[in-house]
Amino acid sequence: MEIFLYRQDAQSVEEGFSASHLPQLLADKTNVVWVDLMGDTDEGIEEAKQVLLEIFHFHPLTVEDCVETRNAPKVEAFPDYFYFIVHGIRPEETHHTNFVTKELDGYLGANYVVTFHIEKFQSIKVVKQNVRSSTFACERGAAYLLHQVLDNIVDLYMPIVDDFDTAINDLEERVFQTRSGYNILLEEIMDVRRAVARLKRISARQLEVLYRISHGEFPQIPAPVLPFYRDVHDHLLRISDLSENYRDLVAGLMDMHLSVVANRTNDVMKLLAIFSAIMLPLSLIAGIYGMNFENMPELKSAHGYYLTLGVMLLIAVVLMVYFWKKGWIFQPAEHEIKVDPSKEE
Amino acid sequence: MEIFLYRQDAQSVEEGFSASHLPQLLADKTNVVWVDLMGDTDEGIEEAKQVLLEIFHFHPLTVEDCVETRNAPKVEAFPDYFYFIVHGIRPEETHHTNFVTKELDGYLGANYVVTFHIEKFQSIKVVKQNVRSSTFACERGAAYLLHQVLDNIVDLYMPIVDDFDTAINDLEERVFQTRSGYNILLEEIMDVRRAVARLKRISARQLEVLYRISHGEFPQIPAPVLPFYRDVHDHLLRISDLSENYRDLVAGLMDMHLSVVANRTNDVMKLLAIFSAIMLPLSLIAGIYGMNFENMPELKSAHGYYLTLGVMLLIAVVLMVYFWKKGWIFQPAEHEIKVDPSKEE
Amino acid sequence: MEIFLYRQDAQSVEEGFSASHLPQLLADKTNVVWVDLMGDTDEGIEEAKQVLLEIFHFHPLTVEDCVETRNAPKVEAFPDYFYFIVHGIRPEETHHTNFVTKELDGYLGANYVVTFHIEKFQSIKVVKQNVRSSTFACERGAAYLLHQVLDNIVDLYMPIVDDFDTAINDLEERVFQTRSGYNILLEEIMDVRRAVARLKRISARQLEVLYRISHGEFPQIPAPVLPFYRDVHDHLLRISDLSENYRDLVAGLMDMHLSVVANRTNDVMKLLAIFSAIMLPLSLIAGIYGMNFENMPELKSAHGYYLTLGVMLLIAVVLMVYFWKKGWIFQPAEHEIKVDPSKEE
Amino acid sequence: MEIFLYRQDAQSVEEGFSASHLPQLLADKTNVVWVDLMGDTDEGIEEAKQVLLEIFHFHPLTVEDCVETRNAPKVEAFPDYFYFIVHGIRPEETHHTNFVTKELDGYLGANYVVTFHIEKFQSIKVVKQNVRSSTFACERGAAYLLHQVLDNIVDLYMPIVDDFDTAINDLEERVFQTRSGYNILLEEIMDVRRAVARLKRISARQLEVLYRISHGEFPQIPAPVLPFYRDVHDHLLRISDLSENYRDLVAGLMDMHLSVVANRTNDVMKLLAIFSAIMLPLSLIAGIYGMNFENMPELKSAHGYYLTLGVMLLIAVVLMVYFWKKGWIFQPAEHEIKVDPSKEE
Amino acid sequence: MEIFLYRQDAQSVEEGFSASHLPQLLADKTNVVWVDLMGDTDEGIEEAKQVLLEIFHFHPLTVEDCVETRNAPKVEAFPDYFYFIVHGIRPEETHHTNFVTKELDGYLGANYVVTFHIEKFQSIKVVKQNVRSSTFACERGAAYLLHQVLDNIVDLYMPIVDDFDTAINDLEERVFQTRSGYNILLEEIMDVRRAVARLKRISARQLEVLYRISHGEFPQIPAPVLPFYRDVHDHLLRISDLSENYRDLVAGLMDMHLSVVANRTNDVMKLLAIFSAIMLPLSLIAGIYGMNFENMPELKSAHGYYLTLGVMLLIAVVLMVYFWKKGWIFQPAEHEIKVDPSKEE
């Protein structure tokens, strides 16, 4: 548990308080208090529960939700404060196109922010540094302080969204390459598809939460701070739009993959048909002159063998011309298509 | 029929009443009365009808709906009470990914809860145990008591949702395995798809009901109890989100299955094309030298046979190199793909 | 034209009036009058027009709509009455999964119900019998009488919905059976798909109409009768939900069918590939020893023929083991899949 | 430019006025004036602009929109009048399933209707005839006159919708016929699909316009005339519903076409597999006995040849029975499926 | 930075002011001031920031958004002004069906317009010329001036939309041509699909912005100017409708492409099947008479060889007639389908 106190009169940020100081700090309405609770250990959770229930007297249900994970983003109003859940994301270690969500629970009151999280949050670390290095983040009150946390969380979505962009462009090139293992490619496409769908869903729920927070529904956020929340909302909206966009692109990838496989099966079939169409008649001719009839005059002619070979060659050439005219053979290769890397705005 | 009575003055829970006591118990507005009616026998249904119509004087239409099954979740307001239908689910015995819904009908008045069900409800059993073991569940009034029933019903959705997760991960692995029977796999995917679609539909209707109940539409639920209902609503929302998620995953499975079959057909075609492309020319050569022309000088040469075999071998090698260059043969196997088990949040 | 009169003072239902009595009957506001007009003959239509325009003075446009068919369900308010169109359905004679819609037009005023239909309505016949056998249906006024007609119409949707259930389960089993003619099956699936889509559309429009009627928009329906209309609305909602469900199931059938055909093509290809892969090399060997080179030492060896046959057998066995390892042959048959009949709630 | 004047006092319709009379005619509020402007020539457009801007003083933007084509249906309110754009349709000459839209612009004021169109409108011609033959169309005022124009425009949608019905039924039959050229069929399906999608889009926008006009938003339409507009709206709603329906049917056609092609490929594959499976083993046997080994005892036996032929026949029969058992050959033909022509309501 | 000043009293447009004049110019409420800021250089951005923050005192967040790119279109209200982001588009140099978006940020106050852009805007250049050549554009105030900028931006969408039309018609023709490289065609279809999807998304967001601006939400736009904004909105609506339309057409293209490939695979299969079905039996016959049995009476007959050849010919003819009856060969070519160029309205 870390407690930050900004005293308006002193214009300074102090640290190092413990839970027992809180009632007194909160009583002074000109103070801005930030309590950051970590739930990474059982003791941390116990302590958090105690602080939330016995010092802040938050609604027990919200405290329960705090401690649990697996909650969807939401915001709930109470007379003196509101409770919210938002999700941060970070890239998964092994798959660069996959990501892990982590839950941030929090409360905003008139002069305090409470945050609770089980995993470490890069964005909270950044805001703490800001708070320590300058009083700027605290001067505008608790609502502005919370805005900074949310802003940093949403900003960390962007690198992951950019990774999707790279991954989809990469897959698009590989879809047309002959040597790609079909099933490996397929699995990767499905991985991105799942990740994009998750991003869309997560940002949709968060958008609802941020929309409500940023449109003046909660009196804890004074009007001059609202534009800052709307700004966070708009950033998330852009991420949501991009993930919608990626969803279309991935669906397009899947369609392309299926078409490319169908085209290749078509190519294989053509090759087989050409080979069969040329070889079978020639084999038939050879088979005919391999018959053992006693009376087959051609067999006795001096040039019969050479004539037969000539006819075979002729048939082969005629059929090849026929298939070339149909466009089945000797077409320019088309696998070196350049995929335009700048297709996204 | 089981009747529970919580007397506020006595702060105790009593049992063992019969229908004839009800009017008296209900008359005392400080009491909390819970009447649980079982419709598993014809007598039970008759008794329930009598109690609902003649003691509680509920609207006859709602009593009809109570007794019938095959109703969708709903909630209907009347001046002194509201009537609701919600659905509980339990796993089907044979298919672990399928589930059975059962209907719970009920009424909430100022100081009473009436529940009616034909099948046994695990969740009602749990709440009865709570009521017997402590007065806590009753102290906050009838609305809080009902909340506990609903909360337990929704909690029992979660294990089934987790089963879907397991089933989908399992299917995902099997889609890429060569030896899976295609049609068996297909049937299993369709089973999960149907079950997920049902879960989505059922939770959508319930969400409507819980949304209306939890947003203060009914005066039978006092404001301090509303957050508890909202909590149930949020849990169900998460289940609904998850089933939406599973629907996408199952649709993805289906697409993957189709792609994998297309890829395998492509592989089979390639094998056939390769075999034909190599064997047919060799057979032609053998056929040519099996012709019976009298004048075929090669046949007389001492090494003609060995040369012919050599040419055949050469053709075979050249064609195999060609196909290897095209990436059709001697590719690394790609069936041992590891499916990442942690792809869901 | 049939006219039913319920006199509140006499508490009896009378019949046998003609159009000329109507003004007098309607003038007594305590009466409940039901005028059922049949438009199956040209005279019937003429009479109906006259009654509607000259006795009831309904808006001419609604009278035009009455007489036409091919109208969508709707409800339109006028100062003293409202006009509605609803659709009844009955199974088509030849296709048990298809159905025919028929239009019921009507008006509800303070003390009268007017119904007009061109086809016979089973549901109207039932209500007439009720009216004749007991005054119960009329005692609660015109609005309750109309409710009974609508209730019976909606009840007759259910058997058709159950037919869909049976038809879809039947098709599901046949999709996996090998001997089903593909195109016949396909045509039947499309028939059910069309019928289900129509049911969905028809019930969607009706739901709108019933929603408006049952939510107190029209003063002709007194508040105590509204729950009865809401009940009809809820029944139709369930039918609409079921048809939504069937739509998913039929879409699933179509996907399954396509997958099964793809799987079978894959099976055929495998068989072809196996036959070719085994036969072509053996034929090549036979072809080689059928060449007429003079110097082919093997031909002279005493056991050459048997050795060759042995080598052929060996190659065949090796290739069959190879294909068995690949899982292409000697797999357990998978067509006897049991489809679980209880998959719907 | 044609001007029609209905004088309420004279109860007659007069014609033959020019632009200069208009201010005077409009000044008498009991008159009903209809100005129909044709924009098929440059002079017509110039004249129209002048009349609209200098006599009626309409907003310049609406006059600009009038003169342009390529506008979407819309309605815009101004203090004394409203401006609207609606689209009429007529079948294209060459494709009976395609249609051409034409734009009708207009203004409705208290006592005047102004219409502007570049192409001829069948519906306007009809209304003009009505106006000339009877004063009925004008008696109820300008709003009723406009209603007649719109009603006629919407009525002319119906024959085109019926053409879709015929075209789709025809395509449905041809999808199952073997001799249909695949790509011609495909192109025709796509043509209908495009036309239906356009109809849906066009009627959707018009519905919005008619909904606003028919729900009392504009004071130029007196309440008693509103039901007539609602009637037009309902007719268009039915057309919109039908086009929604056709969209489903065409999507079904496309699915059917793909399935039929897949089934036929499956049939072709089976034929190929059967031929190969029967011919290749027999050829192998012939090849074996065509080998030139010196020591092949069978060759010397008197009945070896006949035995071999017998064995070949036996193998052929056994394989054919096998394929018949698998259901691959000698199945009843299934191309003569009758498509039920009455599948639409 | 360019500053335009329209003095109402002087009725003239002046230029050549610098930032320091601005406070004075803005103070006179009868002036109309347009400040166009270019952010193409770092100095430009610095200057812009200074002007926006220190002279106009706009909200710092909006200034931040101005300077950044990658923002979605939006509009935000402040007491004295509103801030907006809209996107212009221009064709990409290399792909005529792709386009590049560029961001225009701006502010509208009572008597000023501020625009900020990093890329050059054709539409702003046009409005500057108008402003210089006539006072007309300024006379109606700042809101009308801004309308002109937006109108020109939206007008420049149209040529790109027309390019899509051409590109889709072109692709439609090529889908049916045999010689088109499948994958190149596929890639082009996907390119158009992506571009159309982007256009749809971009215009959707802009529509929201223009809807809000044009419906009287902002007091900076006086009522008489609103119709001009609604006109811009309607133009954009038409573009949005067209892009919706193109999305359907491109989805249709993709379906057609897949069907055409399926049909061609079917054709290839048929050819293969026909060749095999004709050649394999003939080869078998040749193989049979190539066997070396001593007792094969046919071999000795004088006409055996010719009879055999005759039988072969007969079999070939019979099979070809069979395949012709099945409609597999000698069908009229169907690749010369004319695609009707006028299929879009």
Side-chain angles (χ1 to χ4, degrees), chain B residues 8 75 82 102 104 120 146 160 162-163 183 218 223 229 267 288 300 321 338:
Chain B
Q8 207 174 24
V75 59
F82 68 82
K102 41 190 183 177
L104 177 74
K120 284 197 164 49
L146 176 61
I160 283 161
D162 287 338
D163 279 355
N183 286 351
F218 303 102
Y229 280 89
D267 287 345
I288 286 170
K300 273 124 198 166
V321 169
K338 290 290 172 291

Side-chain angles (χ1 to χ4, degrees), chain A residues 59-61 64-65 68 70-74 76-78 87 92 94-95 98-99 101 178-187 190-191 193-194 197-198 201-202 205 247 254 257-258 260-262 264-269 271-272 275-276 278-280 282-287 289-293 296 298-306 308-309 312, chain B residues 140 147 158 161-162 172 176 224 226-231 234-235 237-238 241-242 244-246 248-249 251-253 255-260 262-267 269-270 272-274 276-278 280-281 283-284 287-298 319 322-328 331 333-335 337-340 342-345:
Chain A
H59 197 289
L61 272 175
E64 254 178 60
D65 279 349
E68 271 174 48
R70 296 189 53 158
N71 287 304
K74 71 168 178 178
E76 184 132 3
F78 293 91
H87 285 182
E92 207 184 54
T94 51
H95 277 61
N98 208 353
F99 60 88
T101 55
T178 326
R179 291 199 148 263
S180 316
Y182 292 167
N183 286 350
I184 289 171
L185 189 65
L186 185 59
E187 179 67 359
M190 297 308 292
D191 276 348
R193 175 167 151 170
R194 273 191 292 259
R198 276 179 63 213
R201 260 198 323 278
I202 287 165
R205 283 267 170 251
R247 201 169 59 174
M254 196 71 198
H257 174 70
L258 266 171
V260 165
V261 170
R264 281 185 196 167
T265 301
N266 191 284
D267 287 345
V268 174
M269 294 301 306
L271 191 93
L272 178 59
F275 255 96
S276 303
I278 294 174
M279 289 298 153
L280 290 179
L282 306 189
S283 284
L284 176 63
I285 291 171
Y289 291 111
M291 296 195 292
N292 296 321
F293 286 101
M296 288 174 74
E298 299 98 319
L299 297 180
K300 272 124 198 168
S301 83
H303 303 298
Y305 174 52
Y306 301 107
T308 303
L309 287 187
M312 284 183 175
Chain B
R140 303 200 193 179
H147 149 260
M158 212 60 214
V161 168
D162 287 338
E172 235 160 55
F176 286 101
L226 282 177
F228 294 95
Y229 280 89
R230 278 207 287 277
D231 198 57
D234 289 346
H235 285 178
L237 190 65
R238 170 147 182 93
D241 276 7
L242 281 173
E244 179 79 26
N245 182 16
Y246 293 146
D248 289 359
L249 290 177
L253 268 181
D255 289 355
M256 267 199 279
H257 174 69
L258 266 170
S259 277
V260 165
N263 289 345
R264 282 185 196 166
T265 300
N266 192 283
D267 287 345
M269 293 301 306
K270 278 180 190 164
L272 177 59
I274 292 164
S276 304
I278 294 174
L280 290 178
S283 284
L284 176 63
I288 286 170
Y289 291 112
M291 295 195 293
N292 296 321
F293 286 100
E294 289 186 355
N295 181 18
M296 288 174 72
E298 299 97 318
L319 281 167
Y322 172 74
F323 288 119
W324 171 69
K325 287 261 177 189
K326 262 183 114 90
W328 289 18
Q331 294 295 346
E334 54 172 357
H335 300 307
I337 291 164
K338 290 290 172 291
V339 175
D340 173 28
S342 70
K343 79 180 51 87
E344 191 39 31
E345 2 161 359

Side-chain angles (χ1 to χ4, degrees), chain A residues 158 230 234 241 269 292, chain E residues 70 74 76 205 269 289:
Chain A
M158 213 59 215
R230 278 206 288 277
D234 289 345
D241 276 6
M269 294 301 306
N292 296 321
Chain E
R70 296 188 54 158
K74 71 168 179 178
E76 184 132 2
R205 282 266 170 252
M269 293 302 306
Y289 291 111

Side-chain angles (χ1 to χ4, degrees), chain B residues 164-195:
Chain B
F164 284 149
D165 205 59
T166 317
I168 291 169
N169 276 330
D170 173 54
L171 283 170
E172 235 160 55
E173 271 172 55
R174 284 166 57 204
V175 157
F176 286 101
Q177 283 163 8
T178 324
R179 292 198 146 261
S180 315
Y182 292 166
N183 286 351
I184 289 171
L185 190 64
L186 186 59
E187 179 67 359
E188 289 190 41
I189 292 174
M190 296 309 292
D191 277 348
V192 177
R193 175 167 151 170
R194 273 190 292 260

Side-chain angles (χ1 to χ4, degrees), chain A residues 219-265:
Chain A
Q220 286 80 22
I221 303 177
V225 180
L226 282 177
F228 295 94
Y229 279 89
R230 278 206 288 277
D231 198 55
V232 179
H233 174 264
D234 289 345
H235 286 178
L236 195 58
L237 190 65
R238 171 147 182 93
I239 283 156
S240 177
D241 276 6
L242 282 174
S243 60
E244 179 79 25
N245 182 15
Y246 293 146
R247 201 169 59 174
D248 289 359
L249 291 176
V250 174
L253 269 181
M254 196 71 198
D255 289 354
M256 268 199 280
H257 174 70
L258 266 171
S259 277
V260 165
V261 170
N263 289 345
R264 281 185 196 167
T265 301

Side-chain angles (χ1 to χ4, degrees), chain B residues 44-228:
Chain B
I45 289 178
E46 273 317 299
E47 190 188 39
K49 275 179 162 179
Q50 216 181 330
V51 168
L52 297 174
L53 287 172
E54 293 170 21
I55 296 176
F56 285 99
H57 305 291
F58 291 135
H59 197 289
L61 271 176
T62 64
V63 175
E64 254 178 59
D65 279 349
C66 253
V67 173
E68 270 174 47
T69 53
R70 297 189 54 158
N71 287 304
K74 71 169 177 177
V75 59
E76 184 132 2
F78 293 92
D80 297 327
Y81 58 94
F82 68 82
Y83 167 67
F84 63 88
I85 306 176
V86 293
H87 284 182
I89 59 176
R90 62 169 172 74
E92 207 185 54
E93 266 110 61
T94 50
H95 277 61
H96 67 290
T97 55
N98 207 353
F99 60 89
V100 173
T101 55
K102 41 190 183 177
E103 195 177 317
L104 177 74
D105 297 79
Y107 299 83
L108 179 71
N111 67 337
Y112 59 85
V113 181
V114 180
T115 49
F116 174 88
H117 46 106
I118 287 172
E119 291 194 69
K120 284 197 164 49
F121 267 73
Q122 179 65 18
S123 34
I124 285 188
K125 209 171 131 195
V126 167
V127 177
K128 281 183 189 166
Q129 285 168 349
N130 291 353
V131 166
R132 278 175 191 131
S133 64
S134 125
T135 62
F136 179 79
C138 296
E139 276 165 22
R140 303 200 193 179
Y144 187 78
L145 187 62
L146 176 61
H147 149 260
Q148 289 206 308
V149 174
L150 297 179
D151 195 29
N152 275 287
I153 285 174
V154 170
D155 280 358
L156 288 171
Y157 277 62
M158 212 60 214
I160 283 161
V161 168
D162 287 338
D163 279 355
F164 284 149
D165 205 59
T166 317
I168 291 169
N169 276 330
D170 173 54
L171 283 170
E172 235 160 55
E173 271 172 55
R174 284 166 57 204
V175 157
F176 286 101
Q177 283 163 8
T178 324
R179 292 198 146 261
S180 315
Y182 292 166
N183 286 351
I184 289 171
L185 190 64
L186 186 59
E187 179 67 359
E188 289 190 41
I189 292 174
M190 296 309 292
D191 277 348
V192 177
R193 175 167 151 170
R194 273 190 292 260
V196 167
R198 276 178 63 213
L199 182 61
K200 181 86 191 82
R201 262 198 321 280
I202 287 166
S203 52
R205 283 266 170 253
Q206 311 248 67
L207 270 180
E208 276 179 48
V209 170
L210 278 167
Y211 184 87
R212 288 182 57 196
I213 295 184
S214 65
H215 280 74
E217 184 177 333
F218 303 102
Q220 287 80 21
I221 302 178
V225 180
L226 282 177
F228 294 95

